[in-house]
Amino acid sequence: MANNPIQIVLNSGSFVDDVKINPGGQNKDFFAERDKDFAAHKSGLIDQFSAARTALASSGRSTGIARVSLSTAALAKSHRPTQAVLKPDVVPIRGVSDFGELLIEVTTSSLDAVIGKIESAEPATNLKLDRNGKLKANPSRTRSEVGAIAKVVPYGPSDRRQFTVDDAIAWLRNPRSGQYFLIQMFVPANGSSQDEARRRADELSIFRRKLRKVDPSLVLSEPPSWWHDRGFMRLSMDEIDFRPDVFRSVLDVVENEPFVRKIWLPSIIRPTRTNAVDAASDELHALPVPSNGANYPVVGVVDTGVAAIPALDPWVVGRSAMGDPASQDTSHGTFIGALIADSQTLNAHAEAGEPSCRVYDLGLHVTDELEYQQAYPNSFMDFLEQLDFEIASAVAAGVRVFNMSLVVEELVRDDAYSPFAARLDAIADKHDVVFVLPTGNLEPPQFRPEWPEKAEDALAMLANYRYPGLDRMHQPADSLRAIVVAALDPKTAPDGHLLPSVYSRRGPGLALGSKPDLCHLGGSADPSNRLRSLDSTGRPVEGCGTSYAAPLVAKTLGQIDHKIAGTVKRETLTALAIHGATAPTHISHKKLEYVAKDFVGFGLPDLSENILLSDDHSITLVFEAELMHRKALTFDFQWPQALVRAGGKCAGEATLSLVYRPPLDLKYGSETVRVNLEAYLRQEKLNPSTGELSYGGFFTSKSSSGQEHERVKEGQKWGAVKKWSRKTSKAGVGMSSQFRLVVEPLARSGFALPAEGIPFAAILTISDPWGEAPVFNQMRRSLQARDVAIADIRTAARIRPRAGG
């Protein structure tokens, strides 16, 4: 029986100390003992950089941008060609696009310097005896970096625009678009020097003159400050004739402007399309009313508005709305609001059994097109600025978790962090809140087939899917702060299976990052197995969609936050939900290990009450702290004695979850996350030949082995949410009961950790999967004997030290 509370380590900060920095390996020769190949490669690079110089010289502009692609084997930080060949003081790095694509600013003189440096690379492999007496390649830094560069090309029109002229015309005809192009410039408005600011002003003047030559009504204006500070400009098209030749002329100017990074079509916001039908009864449904004097969690609902109906009014604690209530369609927001208030009685599924939460209604999405234009003339930018304003009142009313089942009709990308997601994450940081988002829905005919029972058949089904790539998540599911939720079909029988819904869009997230984070019931596309809620009149209605899976997760998060006295870090809330999640049994097959996470993330979260408790055979420890430069958390402890076998072998199961808040910078595209935190659980081991003690990995993590691309895709590297687990045999492993938990940072090349540090939460569970050992009591006594201050996380705020942790 689960009756032992999760323990928070009150003095987590005392275990953060200096860490020895690994200086990195030697320079790598990517053409070792292949000198003819290196000569050809070197000659080819010289030709490419020379061609870039010629193109720049003939353009009439003093500066330009080039895209440098690195070889697949050179993606790691230590191989970046920025110490010798592409030195930042010669060719500044202005951003990153896709994996291993550096965007550098060049002049004719800087290109001459780069060409000269490439020419100086030694032509022959230099071999040297290593410490073991073996001959190893020992190249100069210059030869190593020349080998790391795969190719260079000028940054051109196809890099700046990924849509057709016809696409643009159709998109901007939609009145919800705001009828403008969002132009992302390379040089941010808050440039680092006066010279840079003057150059930006000169470049913008040239750019504006070229646009006015196409049409005098074209206006390049500055958006609100958050956008302007990150280099965004607004190019109004509302007075332009919507003809292909006119649009082509405009885009020709913009996509050939050297300091334009990307041309974005403005995000068109809509609720995730759902399928709802009236239930059999036409009678109004009465929800239970809140108990007198009871204190309920409050979850924010950012949507179309929750209808003012008798069934829901007692549950709504605050409202804010845009648009005319008489013309507003609140059906989508009402369905979600009713699930948050009473999913557990509206639906018989055990998974929907989270207790009731109150609702703070932010009805900001205007459904009438004319009123939407009036409310948000700059479309999604104005919507997000309004959200930033309105959310303060909700926070003051006690809201920390917000469900936003709204998406834009653009797919998540590998090479760019969408402006919508970036602004949403900035709002989350500003107000210290958590957004819960859906992955988005597919529509027929893009539905996938029903998920097969056998793993082999599931892999075959996915391999034969007719619309590969088109079923990826909708923005803003590339958010790096929000929790993104996919949908499951409910069980059709008590012994049935929870399976990914045929309409639920899939991951991965930005740059192959791990998204979605979680999954929940969304209702089946089959009308016989949908979720039940209320329509805007208060009558029962049934529907399906990731829109309806997301609020069930938001409800659990709200309950977790409410059950903990005081305030924990946002990372702790997220980590608790992740740690308490389990992938549906039917898709947990080893063969689906790296596929399933794109559909269910880390799984379905348990009910909040279960997440915060453990049984006698396990213990869960929560660590909250910040990591500064050259600091790491190192926590030594002893494995539960009842799980230690003869010879020091240790048996049992360990699960470790890590959530942290990395610095973000959207100009770096696939490398938006600037700091990676990694966690390790290590077991002490003895070197029999030297007698030295060290700690080795208890978990096998793919984030520290293999090539960088594999570490990102399969090992969760650079992911802000991570989880590992290992179950041993009953005989145990290793030779010591001494263990060490380590959390340490790794910054991108040239990036320094912020002075305030990186906030994180790490959660470790150690358990006896055979249900025999008194793990909780043994571990608790052992930790207290070592002066580790631990307490029930639900009440720890009353006794938490104010400093250090």
Side-chain angles (χ1 to χ4, degrees):
M1 181 179 176
N3 52 16
N4 297 310
I6 283 182
Q7 303 290 296
I8 188 166
V9 178
L10 300 173
N11 55 339
S12 296
S14 356
F15 302 102
V16 173
D17 208 344
D18 295 338
V19 62
K20 183 179 179 181
I21 302 298
N22 187 340
Q26 295 180 327
N27 297 331
K28 180 174 180 177
D29 192 336
F30 296 94
F31 288 85
E33 300 186 80
R34 294 190 296 124
D35 295 334
K36 286 186 178 180
D37 291 341
F38 180 73
H41 173 73
K42 178 177 170 180
S43 176
L45 285 185
I46 291 172
D47 289 345
Q48 291 170 31
F49 276 100
S50 297
R53 186 194 187 286
T54 300
L56 178 59
S58 62
S59 70
R61 305 295 283 269
S62 60
T63 54
I65 301 293
R67 176 161 51 87
V68 178
S69 300
L70 306 183
S71 70
T72 303
L75 295 179
K77 169 183 174 178
S78 58
H79 301 319
R80 286 290 162 101
T82 53
Q83 296 180 36
V85 178
L86 304 177
K87 298 176 70 172
D89 59 342
V90 178
V91 283
I93 296 176
R94 291 305 184 195
V96 173
S97 184
D98 210 338
F99 279 106
E101 292 183 349
L102 308 181
L103 306 178
I104 60 172
E105 182 180 326
V106 296
T107 64
T108 52
S109 60
S110 68
L111 286 169
D112 285 339
V114 171
I115 292 168
K117 197 66 180 178
I118 293 173
E119 289 174 334
S120 72
E122 70 269 24
T125 302
N126 179 31
L127 296 176
K128 182 181 178 181
L129 290 174
D130 66 10
R131 289 180 297 180
N132 298 318
K134 295 182 179 180
L135 279 175
K136 291 289 182 69
N138 184 38
S140 68
R141 183 68 194 182
T142 300
R143 177 177 167 114
S144 176
E145 291 191 7
V146 170
I149 300 172
K151 65 177 181 179
V152 60
V153 294
Y155 193 78
S158 62
D159 297 305
R160 298 184 173 94
R161 172 165 67 96
Q162 278 83 44
F163 53 84
T164 68
V165 169
D166 289 341
D167 288 340
I169 291 174
W171 194 274
L172 297 190
R173 284 192 189 280
N174 188 324
R176 293 178 178 273
S177 70
Q179 298 183 324
Y180 64 91
F181 290 119
L182 186 64
I183 312 298
Q184 184 180 2
M185 309 296 286
F186 269 110
V187 183
N190 56 348
S192 57
S193 69
Q194 290 185 344
D195 288 344
E196 196 168 277
R198 281 194 297 269
R199 183 187 61 185
R200 174 179 168 81
D202 292 343
E203 296 290 346
L204 283 176
S205 295
I206 295 171
F207 188 23
R208 285 189 168 103
R209 286 198 298 271
K210 288 184 175 182
L211 289 169
R212 284 196 294 271
K213 285 183 180 180
V214 176
D215 192 304
S217 68
L218 286 170
V219 176
L220 188 66
S221 59
E222 295 181 356
S225 60
W226 184 91
W227 304 89
H228 180 248
D229 291 347
R230 286 154 183 80
F232 287 101
M233 304 290 286
R234 181 187 185 278
L235 179 59
S236 176
M237 300 290 289
D238 54 353
E239 295 186 23
I240 297 296
D241 190 356
F242 275 43
R243 297 198 325 264
D245 59 319
V246 175
F247 265 63
R248 195 170 292 110
S249 297
V250 172
L251 290 171
D252 183 63
V253 170
V254 179
E255 67 193 19
N256 283 286
E257 172 60 32
F259 284 93
V260 167
R261 165 74 182 267
K262 194 170 291 293
I263 311 168
W264 295 88
L265 293 171
S267 299
I268 297 175
I269 307 170
R270 63 169 178 78
T272 54
R273 289 197 178 99
T274 52
N275 201 339
V277 295
D278 292 338
S281 174
D282 287 332
E283 294 182 4
L284 297 181
H285 185 88
L287 300 183
V289 296
S291 301
N292 288 333
N295 187 14
Y296 291 88
V298 184
V299 173
V301 176
V302 183
D303 213 275
T304 61
V306 176
I309 53 178
L312 280 174
D313 280 346
W315 291 100
V316 178
V317 300
R319 293 185 187 273
S320 181
M322 301 290 287
D324 183 358
S327 60
Q328 183 77 352
D329 179 2
T330 60
S331 56
H332 191 261
T334 302
F335 195 115
I336 289 167
L339 285 177
I340 289 172
D342 193 38
S343 63
Q344 67 274 25
T345 59
L346 285 165
N347 297 274
H349 313 295
E351 296 82 5
E354 194 69 67
S356 297
C357 296
R358 290 184 183 268
V359 171
Y360 196 103
D361 176 21
L362 290 175
L364 304 184
H365 182 70
V366 180
T367 57
D368 181 83
E369 288 192 353
L370 180 59
E371 290 179 17
Y372 186 94
Q373 287 179 276
Q374 294 171 346
Y376 306 123
N378 291 307
S379 66
F380 83 107
M381 285 195 292
D382 285 348
F383 173 87
L384 289 169
E385 297 310 306
Q386 188 68 30
L387 175 62
D388 183 22
F389 173 78
E390 299 286 357
I391 218 164
S393 297
V395 170
V399 184
R400 202 175 186 200
V401 178
F402 292 83
N403 185 85
M404 192 173 84
S405 290
L406 304 173
V407 297
V408 299
E409 294 187 357
E410 296 166 90
L411 302 182
V412 168
R413 302 165 52 145
D414 287 329
D415 66 341
Y417 178 37
S418 72
F420 193 112
R423 183 67 181 107
L424 190 67
D425 287 348
I427 293 171
D429 286 348
K430 175 181 176 182
H431 298 283
D432 192 31
V433 299
V434 179
F435 286 104
V436 182
L437 310 174
T439 59
N441 298 335
L442 296 169
E443 296 181 55
Q446 292 183 345
F447 281 3
R448 286 181 297 273
E450 295 284 346
W451 198 276
E453 290 190 7
K454 295 182 178 179
E456 296 83 357
D457 294 340
L459 292 173
M461 179 270 288
L462 295 173
N464 294 320
Y465 180 61
R466 295 176 59 190
Y467 305 95
L470 297 180
D471 60 343
R472 197 169 181 180
M473 299 182 301
H474 273 148
Q475 299 171 15
D478 53 336
S479 164
L480 294 163
R481 301 285 196 244
I483 292 180
V484 177
V485 183
L488 299 175
D489 287 352
K491 295 178 182 178
T492 56
D495 58 348
H497 301 292
L498 294 170
L499 299 172
S501 300
V502 297
Y503 56 79
S504 186
R505 288 186 170 273
R506 65 175 294 178
L510 168 69
L512 302 181
S514 183
K515 289 286 181 178
D517 301 288
L518 295 168
C519 58
H520 217 297
L521 304 186
S524 171
D526 179 350
S528 67
N529 192 25
R530 293 184 170 173
L531 284 186
R532 185 181 175 92
S533 190
L534 301 183
D535 68 12
S536 54
T537 69
R539 289 176 172 79
V541 64
E542 295 176 349
C544 65
T546 55
S547 274
Y548 305 150
L552 297 181
V553 170
K555 191 176 182 182
T556 295
L557 280 168
Q559 284 286 351
I560 292 172
D561 188 48
H562 184 68
K563 286 178 168 68
I564 297 174
T567 302
V568 293
K569 296 182 186 299
R570 276 184 288 154
E571 292 69 35
T572 301
L573 288 182
T574 299
L576 284 167
I578 297 293
H579 198 76
T582 305
T585 305
H586 209 54
I587 55 174
S588 298
H589 196 283
K590 182 72 174 177
K591 292 182 178 179
L592 299 175
E593 181 179 4
Y594 297 115
V595 173
K597 66 179 183 178
D598 286 347
F599 296 91
V600 300
F602 294 101
L604 174 75
D606 204 343
L607 301 181
S608 58
E609 182 178 8
N610 298 332
I611 287 174
L612 294 173
L613 294 173
S614 63
D615 61 24
D616 293 339
H617 311 297
S618 68
I619 191 168
T620 297
L621 303 175
V622 177
F623 300 82
E624 283 190 336
E626 294 82 26
L627 290 187
M628 283 74 170
H629 181 57
R630 295 195 173 184
K631 299 285 185 180
L633 180 139
T634 304
F635 180 76
D636 292 341
F637 66 95
Q638 189 171 18
W639 199 255
Q641 192 59 39
L643 292 175
V644 179
R645 312 306 191 207
K649 292 181 180 292
C650 294
E653 185 170 9
T655 300
L656 175 61
S657 299
L658 174 67
V659 177
Y660 64 102
R661 194 188 314 168
L664 307 175
D665 193 334
L666 59 79
K667 74 182 178 185
Y668 288 102
S670 63
E671 297 183 3
T672 290
V673 174
R674 307 307 293 156
V675 174
N676 178 55
L677 292 196
E678 208 62 66
Y680 306 93
L681 184 61
R682 294 168 172 160
Q683 185 176 15
E684 187 182 64
K685 58 182 181 180
L686 174 70
N687 186 323
S689 59
T690 65
E692 291 183 354
L693 291 174
S694 62
Y695 283 85
F698 183 77
F699 292 130
T700 302
S701 173
K702 293 195 176 183
S703 61
S704 56
S705 61
Q707 292 191 350
E708 184 75 2
H709 191 274
E710 295 169 342
R711 296 177 184 181
V712 172
K713 185 177 180 181
E714 299 180 1
Q716 309 177 70
K717 188 175 183 182
W718 304 107
V721 179
K722 307 178 185 185
K723 188 175 183 179
W724 305 266
S725 186
R726 181 185 180 186
K727 177 182 175 182
T728 74
S729 68
K730 207 164 185 178
V733 296
M735 295 182 295
S736 172
S737 63
Q738 300 302 313
F739 277 72
R740 174 173 290 173
L741 171 66
V742 177
V743 181
E744 60 186 20
L746 172 69
R748 299 276 188 186
S749 178
F751 185 84
L753 267 69
E756 65 273 17
I758 308 296
F760 75 90
I763 303 181
L764 174 65
T765 293
I766 298 171
S767 63
D768 174 8
W770 306 284
E772 299 167 356
V775 172
F776 184 85
N777 288 331
Q778 284 191 353
M779 277 287 292
R780 200 167 191 278
R781 285 196 297 267
S782 173
L783 293 172
Q784 289 173 333
R786 296 186 178 205
D787 293 326
V788 179
I790 55 177
D792 181 345
I793 191 172
R794 298 169 301 181
T795 57
R798 301 172 191 165
I799 55 175
R800 184 194 299 263
R802 290 295 97 191

